[in-house]
């Protein structure tokens, strides 16, 4: 999917919501555990109930790998279902990968070719040659960690390197990489005030913003500091939507929560247009 | 496996060799492609031919994920085979994972419980709460990236943070984390001269050293600067061993290359004892 197509979908749906599909078998409704593939059954119900309210889905690979082969099968079924039923929806493999060049190429093949995701998240620690193999894929997007939403972000990301914080160094350096137009960035919503500085470095890039909802970020602030002329934001919510109810009404409850966010986003799009 | 057991195996085998099982179907002997599971068939032959010469095996997960479900099945068969036939051998899931707390816990379960690896590699960028969930597992080991062997290591890892290079900051900070005694570190062999400095910060920790062989590191230098009283080194070689021949004699050829390294290691152990 091209960035232009993503922007077009955001305007059509009046939403820049990404729903995180982080399925924990201890948290899904009990009646689903009788299904042959409870993880896929859960995802399918959530997708069927919310696809008109969001523009992206983001399965975090950890939640699938934890269940071994069955988990990987559920991930494969989920992305196949999305690509067949809703090809207009942007898909993110939240994998946070990164390795030396030939190995990153294998990861890129895993997520862009074998699983056919539109994008994958990567970690920057190993530098240019660990990220460029992902960037080489046409019409695929690489979403690099810049400033994450957890407490540990302050351990290294905000430390000063050559006169500026490491995450700013990461943003600036990455702009010089081959095919850097295929980069998006993860920026935690718990630090919305940092977004003004970030927009000075990467005014045009899309930002994937986790941490609205369960992690406590504020949507208005994120839009105030982070939105650009092409919207430039995907705001993720996982637990706040998919675990809105643990009962048989879980999918409808998820849709209600997703619509609340979509309505707030519609208002923000109006305010900033 | 405890660290003491690993040290004991190193002394018994006179080897601190780790063999990287990075299986690329384009590089393995053609006759194996007829097998039902060519990746596992390759790994099994390599393990059968080399297990007496090394103390660790390290499958890099990228090479398995690139083949989807079949790849994940081959990884599962490989670790099960190792744990059943050679429980004395240290196993490393080279996965370079790292995410927010509850998600890192899912990764830890995937590699320590579902797949029953002895250790997993992780990336430090997200800080303390992204790594501590791995450290909480008893008799399991978390091998954190410090200074990698690729060119991109110079993009961020060697940049100066608070008066010292980022990788040194990573080493120092990580010592304060809960259960930090379960940490080992990845340090590239292409920078052997840095090992003296690294040993000042973490004198007792095990180092996983990639980059000997195909990536050009020097074994003598690594031992000179990196070995400690408990050896404290695992030296990895992947392509130099497993792709020594592309013919039907590939496993024997791998054993010859592994034995060359083991003999050099035996000499180093003698020199430093």
């Amino acid at each position: 999917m091209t960035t232009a197509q993503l922007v077009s979908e955001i305007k059509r749906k009046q939403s820049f919501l990404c729903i995180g599909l982080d399925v924990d078998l201890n948290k899904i409704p009990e009646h689903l555990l009788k299904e042959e593939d409870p993880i896929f059954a859960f995802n399918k119900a959530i997708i069927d109930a919310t696809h008109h309210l969001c523009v992206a889905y983001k399965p975090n690979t950890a939640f699938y790998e934890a269940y071994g082969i069955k988990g990987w099968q559920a991930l494969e079924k989920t992305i196949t279902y999305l690509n067949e039923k809703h090809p207009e929806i942007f898909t993110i493999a939240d994998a946070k990968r990164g390795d030396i060049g030939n190995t990153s190429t294998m990861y890129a093949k895993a997520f862009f070719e074998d699983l056919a995701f539109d994008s994958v998240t990567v970690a920057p620690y190993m530098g240019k040659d660990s990220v460029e193999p992902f960037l080489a894929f046409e019409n695929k997007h690489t979403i690099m960690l810049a400033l994450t939403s957890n407490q540990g972000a302050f351990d290294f990301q905000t430390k000063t390197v050559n006169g500026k914080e490491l995450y700013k160094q990461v943003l600036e350096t990455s702009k010089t990489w081959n095919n850097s137009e295929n980069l998006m960035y993860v920026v935690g919503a718990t630090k919305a005030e940092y977004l003004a500085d970030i927009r000075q470095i990467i005014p045009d890039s899309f930002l994937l913003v986790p941490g609205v909802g369960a992690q406590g970020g504020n949507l208005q602030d994120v839009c105030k500091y982070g939105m650009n002329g092409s919207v430039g934001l995907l705001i993720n919510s996982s637990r706040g939507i998919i675990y809105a109810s643990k009962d048989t009404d879980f999918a409808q409850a998820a849709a209600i929560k997703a619509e609340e966010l979509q309505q707030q986003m519609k208002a923000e799009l109006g305010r900033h247009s």
Side-chain angles (χ1 to χ4, degrees), chain A residues 26-152:
Chain A
N26 294 317
K27 289 187 183 158
I28 70 175
E30 265 187 49
H31 72 280
L32 290 178
L33 300 178
K34 286 175 255 158
E35 299 276 336
E36 195 195 327
D37 184 340
I39 300 175
F40 177 66
F42 180 81
N43 282 347
K44 183 177 176 301
I46 294 285
I47 293 164
D48 289 347
T50 60
H51 64 88
H52 56 296
L53 301 166
C54 67
V55 293
Y57 286 103
K58 179 177 76 65
N60 187 306
T61 53
F63 290 80
Y64 300 84
E65 292 178 21
Y67 301 110
I69 306 272
K70 287 191 175 189
W72 203 263
Q73 281 171 331
L75 179 63
E76 194 172 278
K77 275 193 259 183
T78 301
I79 184 65
T80 301
Y81 186 74
L82 280 169
N83 282 338
E84 284 175 0
K85 286 277 245 184
H86 305 289
E88 77 286 359
I89 290 186
F90 189 71
T91 53
I92 303 168
D94 195 359
K96 301 187 175 69
R97 299 299 198 261
D99 209 309
I100 58 171
N102 68 321
T103 308
S104 274
T105 299
M106 297 304 269
Y107 278 131
K109 284 183 180 172
F111 293 109
F112 292 153
E113 291 183 351
D114 187 64
L115 291 172
F117 275 93
D118 292 312
S119 67
V120 62
T121 60
V122 303
Y125 192 72
M126 293 181 69
K128 172 176 166 152
D129 53 336
S130 73
V131 179
E132 281 189 344
F134 292 96
L135 300 176
F137 286 72
E138 208 175 350
N139 291 334
K140 299 288 185 179
H141 305 266
T142 303
I143 311 178
M144 191 163 73
L145 299 181
L147 184 61
T148 58
S149 57
N150 62 322
Q151 189 58 32

Side-chain angles (χ1 to χ4, degrees), chain A residues 11 19 44 56 159 169 191 235 238 244 258:
Chain A
K11 292 188 173 161
I19 297 180
K44 183 177 176 301
K159 291 283 189 288
Q169 185 76 50
K191 289 132 196 141
I235 306 253
S238 300

